[in-house]
Amino acid sequence: MTTSDTSGLWPAVLARLRLVADIVRLPRARLRFDASLNPDLIRRTHASFTMPHPRYRIVRNKSLGVALIDLRAFASGADYLQSVAQKDHAGYQARRARARGYTVAEIDRNSYIDDIHRINTSQRVRQGRPMDPAYANRTDHYVAVDSFRYYGVLDGDGKLVAYCDLGIYGDFAATDRLLGIKTDGVMYLLMADIACRLIDEHRYNYLMYDTYLGALPGLREFKRKLGFAPYRIRYAIA
């Protein structure tokens, strides 16, 4: 094999080496599931998070590069907002959204069925990926799930413009569904407000928002501005 034959291999090799180095440097976190919150759901979620990764079978599904905020690092929600207060970060965006009349509240999704459908169908592509066709189906009635909370951003007229289904799994919470109309910083407001509420409850150690290293650049930047960072995760269940 000539030098020209092998030269094309080096960028791929170097990229893999950088990825390995990034993984080795990741901080570690231990997350605990509490099956008493919702036995069937918690056990299914634990099994999903700890099953072999679909592409890299030697690691667990949700174990490398998972996006977390360590809630214990902040004495209060106000302390967290100060940590992301720089321009264009979550604290700055959240302040601007509130000044425009947006508020965050726990919601009954059945009071906002039309708004949720409008949000779900507002874009065919998000973060460079086509929306799952299931989002196009209008849901006529939602059933609240034990150990879940449902948050929404309301504009000045009371219309829902963003929402998040948040699972409480044990000593951590994780986003299950997060969608909105990208305007006026409402997505930053929603996630920052959720982080503040969890911090001020002093019951949870981490907030999870799927993966960090595997996210597309735009979504990764969104997470970074909210204070999420990638971790290596180990799970326990009780």
Side-chain angles (χ1 to χ4, degrees):
M1 184 177 290
T2 66
T3 302
S4 60
D5 293 329
T6 60
S7 60
L9 296 175
W10 285 110
V13 171
L14 291 174
R16 287 180 178 273
L17 290 174
R18 283 195 293 268
L19 178 60
V20 171
D22 288 342
I23 290 172
V24 169
R25 288 195 295 267
L26 289 177
R28 297 172 182 262
R30 184 177 177 87
L31 276 58
R32 181 181 60 81
F33 284 90
D34 182 354
S36 69
L37 296 173
N38 186 331
D40 290 341
L41 173 66
I42 297 295
R43 290 193 177 97
R44 286 199 309 270
T45 306
H46 176 264
S48 173
F49 281 19
T50 58
M51 68 186 293
H53 191 280
R55 290 181 60 189
Y56 308 105
R57 307 295 290 181
I58 62 172
V59 299
R60 299 297 182 182
N61 190 27
K62 298 280 189 185
S63 62
L64 296 179
V66 175
L68 297 180
I69 294 175
D70 185 347
L71 304 174
R72 301 167 301 176
F74 307 101
S76 66
D79 189 24
Y80 159 73
L81 288 176
Q82 185 60 37
S83 76
V84 289
Q86 55 266 56
K87 188 174 181 180
D88 291 333
H89 283 58
Y92 173 85
Q93 297 281 9
R95 285 198 309 275
R96 295 186 69 190
R98 289 193 189 280
R100 294 183 175 114
Y102 294 99
T103 57
V104 180
E106 283 199 60
I107 62 170
D108 176 353
R109 292 172 297 170
N110 292 307
S111 298
Y112 300 96
I113 285 176
D114 289 337
D115 287 347
I116 291 173
H117 182 63
R118 176 176 49 84
I119 292 168
N120 289 351
T121 57
S122 62
Q123 297 183 50
R124 294 183 178 180
V125 176
R126 289 179 185 265
Q127 297 297 330
R129 294 171 179 162
M131 290 290 291
D132 188 320
Y135 282 94
N137 299 328
R138 185 179 186 277
T139 299
D140 293 324
H141 181 74
Y142 288 98
V143 177
V145 178
D146 289 344
S147 81
F148 263 62
R149 300 179 187 178
Y150 305 95
Y151 294 98
V153 178
L154 305 174
D155 68 11
D157 297 322
K159 181 180 293 184
L160 189 75
V161 294
Y163 71 93
C164 177
D165 301 349
L166 185 76
I168 306 295
Y169 294 107
D171 67 354
F172 71 102
T175 58
D176 183 72
R177 180 175 286 194
L178 175 66
L179 284 174
I181 296 173
K182 295 180 180 179
T183 182
D184 294 337
V186 297
M187 301 303 289
Y188 284 105
L189 172 62
L190 178 57
M191 287 304 299
D193 193 275
I194 289 171
C196 287
R197 291 173 187 239
L198 295 175
I199 291 166
D200 288 337
E201 288 182 41
H202 299 288
R203 296 175 58 191
Y204 309 104
N205 294 338
Y206 295 99
L207 173 60
M208 177 192 294
Y209 184 3
D210 202 50
T211 61
Y212 189 97
L213 296 180
L216 293 173
L219 183 55
R220 186 184 305 177
E221 185 69 359
F222 174 67
K223 294 179 183 184
R224 184 184 70 83
K225 289 180 178 181
L226 279 158
F228 285 94
Y231 282 77
R232 294 178 69 180
I233 308 295
R234 293 184 61 189
Y235 298 99
I237 186 168

